[in-house]
Amino acid sequence: METTHSGLEPGLYIVAGPIGNLGDLTPRAAEILRLADVVAVEDTRVSARLLRHAGSDRPMVPYHDHSAEGVRARLVERMASESVALLSDAGTPLISDPGYKLVRDARAAGRKITTLPGPSAAIAALTLSGLPTDRFLFMGFLPNKAKARGDVLAEVTALRATLVFYESGPRLSESLSAMAAHLGDREAAVSREISKTFEETATGTLSALSARYADAPPKGEIVVVVGPPGEAPPASAEDADAALLEAMTRLPVSKAAGEVAKKLGLDRRTLYDRAMELKG
Ligand code: SAM
């Protein structure tokens, strides 16, 4: 196995950093930051602090997915013989952060790629929310303009999944009320400053949370988690009787029971017995 002078294999190392609390940098991530030949970062000033914390003196190069093609091509070239670490200002690279195009091009060039998993605000907020986690969709930041925001929300209205949005304090109340208007007034959770001193999670309906933050936009970094659309409440006995009586005006009893069972999601046999009672 070829290694660089530091003992690391050449290639790309995707390094997740903390989302606020420096203690959340994993020992393995810190080691890679100390050993990599170069660290590609969003903002050298922000990352300098983390590198100091990790005891790293490795050189940094600024990288964004919208950096000139040449910047990315040079980094991919370097990965042939050097270890390149990719680090974001916070959390996991590529998650509402640069890196996707670097990984894409590194993969196309056949470079070794590995990831050092760690914190991401989206997953952290999901775990705090108390909302279903079996199916979720990461929505990133909503667009600023009302029309574009509405279009994005309209695409997911019918989706049976928990939705995770990144937000900022000044936009929070307006975004929550747009979500209520487009998605319905669902249960939601607003988590801010996760892993920091003023960590806080507020839960409630979208409209209640929007009202709560209308006059007092919260400070700090924010994730909004919105629950899936509610299940339709189960049909009541009165609903079933009304549907059966109506169906029996058109159909024989067994067919009426079958139609209502399908429509209301109830047991056909029970409905048949009830239909006979009603008929009698
Ligand atoms: N790559 C990061 C990650 O894995 O979470 C996200 C980067 S994105 C540019 C920054 C956004 O993430 C913030 O505006 C906020 O919505 C969310 N965020 C980051 N850190 C957070 C924290 N400690 N608490 C709550 N939200 C946070």
Side-chain angles (χ1 to χ4, degrees), residues 19 90 92 95-97 120-121 141 166-167 193-194 221-223:
I19 56 169
T92 300
I95 307 302
S96 284
D97 266 342
S120 185
F141 290 94
Y166 283 166
E167 254 313 326
E193 297 291 86
I194 300 168
E221 301 194 280
I222 294 162
V223 183

